[in-house]
Amino acid sequence: MWAKNSCDSVFTMIKEFSICDLSGDVGAKRRSRDLQVPEGFYHISGMNPFSKYYLSMKVNYPNASDSIRGVRRHLGSNIFIHGSCISSGCLAMTDDRIRELYVYCVEAYNAGQEEIGLTIFPARLTDVTYSKLIYTYSRYKDDVALWGDLKKCYDLFNQTRVPPTVKFLPDGKHEVK
């Protein structure tokens, strides 16, 4: 989790939160019931203090890219970051971790933040890890294209500590600046 004060120009890492459980394999979520965790550019679209998984925050899956590149009318929905430690497409954290993250997000909204961005990577996209992904999954062109866009975002953020601007293109790809 990265944050900045309104008077700051760059973001600082506040805390790392481990994921307790997730399902699927690396690669984009493109249809319902595939048990995949989405990868790409998202934001928190809802807060649920009454979740059956203690607390949860809804991810705005499907985003514009998913809607174009996924299986039409069969994309799935209801992707959350939540407590407990079981996943069928969500990012499951322990109850203690989701409580802390949830409070940070509530405080951000209370301080006037309108949207909390969320970028979901297949892994830390260091040059070595990215090269391994591209080599191992080279026949999955859709995933390789998405990871290229995510890698641009990863590198730009690590250079500037400012989230890049991401624009969704008509073909479902991204313009990252």
Side-chain angles (χ1 to χ4, degrees), residues 12-160:
T12 303
M13 181 183 276
I14 303 299
K15 183 155 187 172
E16 287 192 38
F17 291 93
S18 299
I19 301 299
C20 181
D21 189 32
L22 49 82
S23 59
D25 197 4
V26 296
K29 178 173 183 60
R30 297 297 189 215
R31 61 182 167 78
S32 65
R33 296 190 179 103
D34 62 1
L35 302 179
Q36 285 292 100
V37 172
E39 293 175 5
F41 304 99
Y42 301 94
H43 63 267
I44 302 298
S45 62
M47 306 287 285
N48 183 3
F50 305 109
S51 172
K52 70 178 183 178
Y53 298 107
Y54 184 58
L55 296 168
S56 64
M57 299 180 296
K58 188 168 178 50
V59 176
N60 75 313
Y61 173 85
N63 64 21
S65 178
D66 301 319
S67 295
I68 293 165
R69 298 181 80 84
V71 179
R72 293 187 191 271
R73 293 184 297 281
H74 299 286
L75 291 169
S77 60
N78 293 325
I79 301 297
F80 291 87
I81 302 168
H82 61 70
S84 190
C85 194
I86 53 172
S87 171
S88 57
C90 295
L91 296 156
M93 307 172 84
T94 64
D95 291 352
D96 288 341
R97 288 182 200 136
I98 192 64
R99 180 186 317 113
E100 187 176 0
L101 183 58
Y102 193 93
V103 168
Y104 276 121
C105 291
V106 167
E107 290 298 322
Y109 286 132
N110 288 343
Q113 187 165 336
E114 294 180 15
E115 186 173 276
I116 297 174
L118 173 68
T119 304
I120 304 175
F121 298 95
R124 288 182 197 255
L125 292 181
T126 63
D127 291 341
V128 171
T129 302
Y130 177 71
S131 293
K132 286 180 184 176
L133 278 171
I134 299 307
Y135 177 78
T136 304
Y137 297 95
S138 61
R139 69 180 188 264
Y140 299 104
K141 302 298 182 199
D142 182 44
D143 292 328
V144 168
L146 173 61
W147 296 335
D149 295 341
L150 287 167
K151 176 68 167 146
K152 286 180 202 168
C153 176
Y154 183 89
D155 289 343
L156 279 170
F157 182 81
N158 282 318
Q159 291 167 8
T160 65

